[in-house]
Amino acid sequence: MENPENPQRFLTAAAAGLAGCRVCGTANPGGARACTCCGSPLAAADPASLQRVWAWLAAGLIAYVPANVYPMLRTTTFGRSSENTLIGGIAELFSHGSYGVALIVFFASIVIPVAKFLAIAYLAVSVRKLAALGSHGRLVLYEVVEFIGRWSMIDVFVVAILTALVQLDFAAAIAPGMAAVSFAISVAFTMLAAQSFDPRLIWNAESENLNDHA
Amino acid sequence: MHTDQLIACPTCDVLNRDEDVKPHTVARCARCGTVLAAPKSGAMTRIAMLSLTALVLLAAAAGFPFLELRAQGLSHQASVLDAVLAFSSGPMAPLSLATALLIVLLPAARYCALIYTLAPMALGWRPAPHAAAAYRWAERLKPWAMAEIFIIGVAVALVKVSGLARVGLGPAFWAFAALLVVTILTDNAICRLTVWKTLKTRSAS
Ligand SMILES: [Zn+2]
Ligand SMILES: [Zn+2]
């Protein structure tokens, strides 16, 4: 506290003995279990809560493997059936010259999920020590992950739409594959992992480190 | 200082002084920059109206076909209901329920909760019973209401089948496109902490 090299020192609700509400921002008296304003359960920022983040993340990662291995779509045209995996579907779009759409699906199904796994893992690891990316950078990362993660669901909807639409008896029919289910589960689990992460922990590491130096 | 005059930042827990913010200006957390208050004149009315519009569009989007496929003299239309039932057989059945929840049921529930919470405020009335719980649920449902993501899925599907057959756009396609715009407008109009503050002051008075 007395360190003059810290020009800006912020007082958190937890440090002031109060319980801040993550939903409505009310500063509740310390030890309160539910927020007096909105009724949300109150919990202090606790690194132990990272276990939940890791659990959801691991589950999401496990579900992402079959999503890439098994077929996403089974297309039957004039009695001949072919199967398309996630990557295969993107390659097909690309070979047909639909570069823009191929890029959208590539981002939604490959880039965003993989980047999300890495980003959440990085956020969870960096809580313990002062990371290369500053607190502000990590907050931006967290907000991007929260915002963008749900858009990965696009490919699941595409499968549902194609299955519903392409039912022309013998001429053409499309059926969903196992990958659609595991991909949906993977996206849901990683969304839960991101939601389990308490952004207040980003700043906790910072203040603890500053205390160590003081 | 009394704790009523403090806001604990929901993102970083820093205590900020809860000052009166002029309309159309924004108060941010001193440490992390999270928006703490963004009062806009008529915001409650606008959010309630937008939510009502979204509900009507959602009903239209769910009922009418969004794409029509024609090939070899055969034609087939698909509505959201068909897309939901696409997974209904075999091991995919849970996905059918999930699709229904994500595209129709959760967005509808969220907009109902928003109207329930904000319409009395827009009219200057006291908050309805359990308004706090309703608004808390509206915020919790937000990431899981994916109606606006569905329209991008429709666009991708359109390109994918365009090689296979001729595709026409149904009325629900335009309803979903409008829903995308209304959803973005609604989310931009809502300042979570301002809504909570209004709820708090209105229930106290
Ligand atoms: Zn609260
Ligand atoms: Zn803050």
Side-chain angles (χ1 to χ4, degrees), chain A residues 20-26 28 34-42, chain B residues 136 196:
Chain A
C21 176
R22 275 189 63 198
V23 175
C24 70
T26 303
N28 292 279
C35 176
T36 51
C37 166
C38 69
S40 306
L42 298 169
Chain B
R136 212 169 71 221
W196 277 119

Side-chain angles (χ1 to χ4, degrees), chain A residues 11-69:
Chain A
L11 181 65
T12 62
L18 300 168
C21 176
R22 275 189 63 198
V23 175
C24 70
T26 303
N28 292 279
R33 280 164 172 256
C35 176
T36 51
C37 166
C38 69
S40 306
L42 298 169
D46 183 1
S49 69
L50 289 175
Q51 282 189 335
R52 254 186 312 152
V53 178
W54 285 117
W56 286 124
L57 192 64
L61 203 57
I62 291 167
Y64 192 61
V65 175
N68 279 283
V69 174

Side-chain angles (χ1 to χ4, degrees), chain B residues 9 11-14 16 29 31-34:
Chain B
C9 171
T11 312
C12 75
D13 208 35
V14 157
N16 289 265
C29 170
R31 178 159 76 172
C32 73
T34 298

Side-chain angles (χ1 to χ4, degrees), chain A residues 11-14 22-26 38-40 98 136 139 150 153 160-162 164-165 177 181 195 200 203, chain B residues 7-8 10-13 15 31-32 74 76 82 87 92 136 143-146 148-149 154 159 161 192-193 196 200:
Chain A
L11 181 65
T12 62
R22 275 189 63 198
V23 175
C24 70
T26 303
C38 69
S40 306
S98 314
H136 279 281
L139 179 65
R150 46 207 288 280
M153 237 11 145
I161 294 160
L162 289 178
L165 187 65
V181 181
Q195 286 171 21
R200 295 178 297 184
W203 312 85
Chain B
I7 297 183
T11 312
C12 75
D13 208 35
L15 291 171
R31 178 159 76 172
C32 73
L74 294 162
H76 188 81
D82 299 323
F87 296 121
M92 313 286 176
R136 212 169 71 221
W144 301 99
M146 300 190 181
E148 79 274 22
I149 297 175
V154 174
V159 174
V161 291
R192 188 162 51 121
L193 293 193
W196 277 119
K200 205 192 308 190

Side-chain angles (χ1 to χ4, degrees), chain A residues 158-185:
Chain A
V158 171
V159 173
I161 294 160
L162 289 178
T163 311
L165 187 65
V166 186
Q167 295 299 340
L168 300 171
D169 299 328
F170 188 65
I174 289 181
M178 248 351 258
V181 181
S182 38
F183 189 78
I185 290 172

